[in-house]
Amino acid sequence: MSSAAPPPPAPPAPDDRKPGGPGGSGDPLATGGLALGGTLMVVYGLFAVLQGITAIADDEVYTSFGEYVFEFDLTAWGWIHLIVGVLVVAAGFGLFSGAAWARVVGAVVVGLALIANFMWLPYQPFWSIIMILTGLFVLWSLFNYRSTRSA
């Protein structure tokens, strides 16, 4: 009796050689970025909710330096941050569930959060810049993720 070794496996098809492998997104940074983006959305949303509650409860916490065209009352800013924060948290949890609507809603809500943080620069410049950079990363991860999962 002679035992023959099994033939070697066939090389992967050219389509399977992308970084994500078979069934992946094609870009492991975007796949990991989507998970990190969802986590950052939840954390950012919680911080925005706390920031909003602080601005609503006590106007003396934040001070503005100078006059600006888009100046609002701090209570109004508190409500804006509170509402945007709740929406960002909901979209972030939607990303974890893999819902298709969460990417679209997440992109819109993060876009609104970017605008709100740009307008919040006079009150919290350092924090606003951090949140703007974080929001840009989240948008990048939302737009670059390509799922090959069939619908």
Side-chain angles (χ1 to χ4, degrees):
M1 268 195 185
S2 104
S3 75
D15 290 1
D16 290 343
R17 292 185 185 184
K18 56 189 173 184
S25 71
D27 187 359
L29 286 175
T31 303
L34 190 65
L36 179 61
T39 303
L40 289 175
M41 285 176 69
V42 170
V43 171
Y44 165 75
L46 292 175
F47 280 144
V49 166
L50 293 174
Q51 189 175 19
I53 291 171
T54 303
I56 293 168
D58 189 12
D59 286 345
E60 304 301 319
V61 173
Y62 300 111
T63 60
S64 177
F65 301 103
E67 296 292 320
Y68 295 93
V69 174
F70 46 83
E71 185 175 334
F72 290 131
D73 180 52
L74 281 173
T75 304
W77 275 119
W79 283 106
I80 290 169
H81 282 289
L82 182 69
I83 292 168
V84 169
V86 168
L87 293 175
V88 170
V89 168
F93 280 126
L95 280 178
F96 293 137
S97 69
W101 62 265
R103 287 182 54 218
V104 175
V105 171
V108 170
V109 172
V110 170
L112 291 173
L114 284 172
I115 293 168
N117 278 302
F118 175 74
M119 296 174 72
W120 186 248
L121 275 168
Y123 300 98
Q124 290 284 317
F126 185 69
W127 183 252
S128 293
I129 290 171
I130 290 173
M131 288 294 96
I132 288 170
L133 293 175
T134 303
L136 290 174
F137 175 76
V138 170
L139 282 179
W140 175 85
S141 65
L142 290 174
F143 289 135
N144 281 315
Y145 180 74
R146 302 280 185 260
S147 176
T148 58
R149 185 174 55 176
S150 61

